[in-house]
């Protein structure tokens, strides 16, 4: 989900909102990413920051089959 949030609706030429709405979106995007990373840090004790690929590899290699 981190990667999805990082890349969802990235403003680009021909696909832009107002500066105010883009600022609100970016602020919400960062708050969401920060919450996800904090939860992952708390749950795993690891810290890969906002690097979605490293989290994916770590979580994939540390699954248990209960």
């Amino acid at each position: 989900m981190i990667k999805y949030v990082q890349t969802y609706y990235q403003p680009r030429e021909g696909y832009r909102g107002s500066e105010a709405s883009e600022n609100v979106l970016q602020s919400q995007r960062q708050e969401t990413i920060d919450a996800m990373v904090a939860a992952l840090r708390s749950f795993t004790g690891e810290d890969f920051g906002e690097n979605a690929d490293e989290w994916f590899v770590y979580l994939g290699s540390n699954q248990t089959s209960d």
Side-chain angles (χ1 to χ4, degrees), residues 5-6 8-10 25-33:
V5 172
Q6 289 171 331
Y8 181 75
Y9 183 73
Q10 287 291 333
L25 176 63
Q26 183 54 35
S27 178
Q28 183 59 57
R29 180 190 330 273
Q30 193 59 55
E31 286 179 33
T32 301
I33 292 168

Side-chain angles (χ1 to χ4, degrees), residues 35-52:
M36 289 176 171
V37 170
L40 286 166
R41 285 178 181 145
S42 177
F43 181 72
T44 66
E46 298 294 331
D47 185 3
F48 300 109
E50 295 181 14
N51 190 318

